Amino acid sequence: MSDLFQSAVVTGAGRGFGRAIAAALVAAGTDVVGIARDEEELRAVRDELGEGFTPVAADATGEALAQDVIREHRPGLLVLNAGATPHMAPVHEQTWETFSRNWHTDTRHVFTWVRAALREPLQPGSVVVAMSSGAALGGSPLSGGYASAKAAVRYIRGYAADEAQRAGLGIRFHALLPNMTPTGGVGSVAVDGYAARQGVDRDTFVAGREQPVLTPDQVAKAVMEVAQDPDSDAEYRVGGTGLRPIG
């Protein structure tokens, strides 16, 4: 890993994609500050990854947290992966509270960290990778506002990239849109919901999806590829076969 990425921040680092991303970064020699709400999960990641992983049990949407972590650790890479598991139900069976759940976590935390990255700012050459979702392109009728929350992540990335360019900050902003996968926490819940909606079992539903199935390790590999390539595209779909540029 480049000397620039001596330090990185990964939100949602306690499990799933975030844990795999943190592991890949530590293996490459990067010191990772991993943020998640569940202290026990973070402790398990620390036990697995060792001193290269610094756990911070906190709400990733906190503005003071983002500012303090950036000022203390001066990361060259931010991976904004935190998110809530959506309430799986059709729109008429949602409440506004369940429908808007992902706006208050996924979107808000990306806004918070992107804002801090621009205002501090991060050092020139730094990279911000925001995790959106394939649902931002195709919709997700059983997950309330999840798809629109993830679409907003794409807009925030674009706005931030424009502002970084206008100010000559030299910060790259990317968005990754992973396919739905049974190997991720959110994806596993979605697979169960859509399988039930179609009246098929879980294995049958997964077999009918794009193959091979996306894994957390492949998401981690995608983050590493984009972060290290100064000529990488702004946004990518991420599937079991790798990265596909959008636009």
Side-chain angles (χ1 to χ4, degrees):
M1 183 67 72
S2 165
D3 289 342
L4 175 66
F5 302 128
Q6 292 179 349
S7 178
V9 172
V10 179
T11 64
R15 56 186 172 178
F17 292 165
R19 183 170 183 157
I21 293 164
L25 287 166
V26 170
T30 297
D31 291 328
V32 174
V33 178
I35 298 171
R37 294 185 183 186
D38 192 313
E39 185 173 0
E40 185 174 342
E41 287 183 347
L42 286 176
R43 192 180 303 117
V45 179
R46 165 74 177 196
D47 290 343
E48 175 188 346
L49 301 185
E51 295 182 357
F53 182 83
T54 300
V56 177
D59 182 346
T61 66
E63 292 184 11
L65 172 72
Q67 293 170 357
D68 291 346
V69 168
I70 288 175
R71 288 172 182 172
E72 178 180 353
H73 296 278
R74 307 309 304 174
L77 174 64
L78 298 181
V79 184
L80 306 179
N81 169 75
T85 300
H87 178 67
M88 299 298 294
V91 64
H92 64 290
E93 295 179 7
Q94 300 270 352
T95 66
W96 175 246
E97 287 70 26
T98 62
F99 186 89
S100 62
R101 178 180 297 172
N102 295 96
W103 282 89
H104 295 295
T105 302
D106 306 48
T107 311
R108 182 177 178 179
H109 109 280
V110 169
F111 169 82
T112 296
W113 284 87
V114 162
R115 181 173 182 268
L118 291 171
R119 290 174 67 91
E120 284 303 318
L122 295 179
Q123 60 184 313
S126 296
V127 179
V128 179
V129 179
M131 302 301 291
S132 179
S133 168
L137 299 177
S140 182
L142 280 188
S143 60
Y146 177 80
S148 56
K150 290 300 190 180
V153 167
R154 296 182 65 200
Y155 283 114
I156 293 169
R157 181 221 63 81
Y159 301 156
D162 287 345
E163 293 305 320
Q165 185 175 22
R166 281 165 50 86
L169 298 180
I171 305 171
R172 289 192 284 124
F173 290 86
H174 300 276
L176 299 185
L177 286 69
N179 291 343
M180 181 169 61
T181 172
T183 65
V186 171
S188 182
V189 172
V191 164
D192 288 341
Y194 283 104
R197 182 182 177 92
Q198 293 183 12
V200 299
D201 60 44
R202 178 185 176 93
D203 290 342
T204 300
F205 178 82
V206 171
R209 302 281 298 175
E210 179 180 319
Q211 302 294 324
V213 170
L214 178 65
T215 68
D217 286 343
Q218 289 172 316
V219 174
K221 180 182 178 182
V223 170
M224 301 284 280
E225 289 179 5
V226 169
Q228 294 181 89
D229 182 3
D231 297 320
S232 54
D233 289 298
E235 297 183 328
Y236 292 89
R237 289 291 299 266
V238 186
T241 58
L243 293 165
R244 287 177 288 176
I246 297 174

